Each structure stands twice: as structure tokens, then as C-alpha cells.
Amino acid sequence: INNFSKIYNISPPQKSPILIYKKNKPIIKNMTWGLVPKWSYDIKVGSKLINARIETIDKKTSFKGLLNQNRCIIISDGYYEWKKSNEFSQPYYITNKEKKLLLFAGLWTNKKLNTNNYIASFTIITKPSRGEISKIHTRMPAFLDYENINVWIDYKKSDISNALRTIKKTEEKLEFYSISKNINSLKNNSIDLLRPFKIKKT
């Protein structure tokens, strides 16, 4: 993963390093955030498929066909979430308490665009928020423990029911703090975005 550039502000349809299982081994590929199903004639559909709810993932046409062999892991230091109220919206940075990488469960696919070109894309699986995170947003990524990486991506050794059971039971130790609204612009991409921002009381 050291060969990938550091990005501090990723949004769809940007690319992100994704861990998949291919040719009997785990590999990391850069993929576009926003799933473009093979059956879709419009690549813009990816802008609507950036997340997949775990409650319906095995029922929706766009996702259920990928659960068997196209499970992936999105690798991240943390993620941003906006807390919205009637008065204002405030972004927060959410990360691991022990400063470990966060592993989000996801699905991926290859969509053929023409004779020589494909688009590799992914979606992040989400579940209802738990604990303190529920004060910020109603949803959160479905996390994976390090010891369950192969359970999720190695489809030859782990079936769908076992893989889904793994991400449903994972409890990530998270912490969060408010940050600047500068993350709202993709022009801003520096480590300064991760600095705590004191909310002014009115």
C-alpha cells in the first residue's frame, strides 16, 4: 500500500485502494468509488451506488450477484461524516482509537466500457450506527477485524452466510472529533483537514 498516494479527501467518483481476492491471492487495486453494475448502460449510475445497506444487500439486483465472488475491503485511516441539525451541519473525523487502519467491507465489479477499456468500481457496505457514532449519523461502515480479512475476501473458503455473519458482529473501537468544513471542497486535500476544529457556540 506504500505505492499509493496519500489522499485526505476522497469522494465519489474518485479512486481508492481496494483489497480483493484474485488468482488465489489477495491483491490491492485502485478502484472508482461508486459501483457500476455490469448490466448498466450508464456509468453515471455509480454516483447512486456508493453505499450498500447490509439489511438488503442480498436482495438488491445491483449487489446480490456480487456477494459470492466479488467481496472487497476498503482500506482507510478514517472517514468523514456530517452531523446535520436544523441550525447547521458539522463534519466529524472518525478513526480507530488505537490508530490502526480501518477496514470497510465492500463489493466490487468490472464493467466493460468498450473493446479495450473496463471500469473497476466498488461500493461500501453500511449498517445502523452503534454507540457514540449514532449521535453523528444513523449509518456507519460495516467494519472488519484484521483476523477476518480472509473470511471476507476469500470466497473459495468462506460462503456468503459466513462472510455476512463476520461483518455483522464486528465492533470497531472508534473515536471522533469535529473538523473544518474545508473538506466540503475536493480542492482541499492535505493533512490539515484532519486537525480538530473547535465549534463556536452561539
Side-chain angles (χ1 to χ4, degrees), residues 126-193:
T126 66
K127 63 183 181 181
S129 294
R130 299 173 181 173
E132 292 293 305
I133 304 301
S134 61
K135 296 179 181 179
I136 299 175
H137 200 273
T138 58
R139 308 290 298 180
M140 67 191 302
F143 299 103
L144 281 159
D145 292 322
Y146 281 57
E147 58 267 28
N148 288 324
I149 288 176
N150 286 334
V151 176
W152 180 250
I153 64 172
D154 189 349
Y155 55 87
K156 293 185 177 181
K157 295 182 179 179
S158 180
D159 60 22
I160 295 174
S161 59
N162 187 37
L164 287 176
R165 189 162 51 248
T166 298
I167 62 174
K168 285 179 180 178
K169 70 180 183 180
T170 301
E171 294 284 354
E172 188 65 60
K173 297 178 181 178
L174 302 173
E175 64 180 7
F176 59 88
Y177 55 84
S178 56
I179 55 174
S180 168
K181 292 183 180 181
N182 287 336
I183 69 155
N184 205 30
S185 173
L186 290 180
K187 294 179 181 179
N188 299 320
N189 179 31
S190 75
I191 197 170
D192 291 337
L193 293 173

Side-chain angles (χ1 to χ4, degrees), residues 40-116:
S40 175
Y41 292 98
D42 183 9
I43 64 172
K44 291 182 180 179
V45 72
S47 64
K48 300 178 181 179
L49 298 177
I50 61 174
N51 294 328
R53 287 176 172 254
I54 196 170
E55 299 93 326
T56 57
I57 198 173
D58 57 347
K59 301 178 181 65
K60 296 219 169 182
T61 305
S62 299
F63 307 130
K64 64 181 182 180
L66 302 176
L67 272 171
N68 187 31
Q69 297 187 17
N70 286 63
R71 304 192 293 260
C72 68
I73 296 175
I74 298 87
I75 305 166
S76 174
D77 291 302
Y79 69 101
Y80 304 126
E81 196 60 84
W82 289 78
K83 181 179 181 179
K84 298 180 179 180
S85 66
N86 294 331
E87 293 79 24
F88 66 96
S89 295
Q90 175 62 47
Y92 285 80
Y93 179 60
I94 304 170
T95 187
N96 183 281
K97 281 185 177 181
E98 299 172 348
K99 309 306 178 186
K100 296 179 180 179
L101 288 173
L102 292 178
L103 306 177
F104 308 152
L107 299 173
W108 73 280
T109 191
N110 262 332
K111 160 71 176 175
K112 189 173 184 179
L113 301 179
N114 52 48
T115 305
N116 298 313

Side-chain angles (χ1 to χ4, degrees), residues 22-33:
K22 196 172 184 179
K23 295 182 179 179
N24 297 318
K25 64 179 181 180
I27 63 171
I28 293 179
K29 289 187 64 176
N30 250 343
M31 293 190 187
T32 300
W33 185 7

